[in-house]
């Protein structure tokens, strides 16, 4: 029974971290662009890059950047969960074979 609870704990943590990481990456990059925008001469470049990121997120979110970020985060979460399930399955197979 402890193997199953360990698997569920691992699956839950993997799903949560895989959901949160894209949000932190995009948010951190936009924050970095905001800080770079205060440097004279780089304002237009930082604004252009931030605008392109917002448009990219809006593409996945049917016009809303926040919804696009949620869609990307949910997709990463799903892929992370699938990878965790595969790794658990593979570990069980290797344990049985040896």
């Amino acid at each position: 029974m402890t193997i199953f609870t360990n698997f569920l704990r691992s699956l839950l943590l993997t799903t949560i971290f895989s959901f949160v990481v894209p949000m932190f990456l995009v948010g951190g990059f936009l924050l970095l662009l905001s800080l770079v925008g205060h440097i004279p001469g780089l304002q237009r470049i930082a604004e252009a890059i931030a605008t392109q990121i917002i448009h990219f997120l809006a593409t996945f979110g049917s016009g809303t950047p926040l919804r696009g970020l949620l869609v990307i985060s949910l997709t990463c979460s799903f892929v992370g969960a699938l990878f965790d399930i595969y790794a658990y399955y593979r570990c069980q197979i290797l344990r049985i074979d040896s």
Side-chain angles (χ1 to χ4, degrees), residues 5 10 13 26 30 36 39 41 50 54 57 59 63 68-69 73 85 90:
T5 57
S10 171
L13 286 174
V26 171
L30 287 175
V36 168
I39 298 174
I54 296 298
L57 292 174
T59 301
L69 183 59
S73 294
I85 291 170
R90 188 75 178 143

Side-chain angles (χ1 to χ4, degrees), residues 51 53-69 71:
T51 304
I53 291 172
I54 296 298
H55 286 303
F56 176 78
L57 292 174
T59 301
F60 286 102
S62 302
T64 308
L66 183 61
R67 190 179 297 165
L69 183 59
V71 166

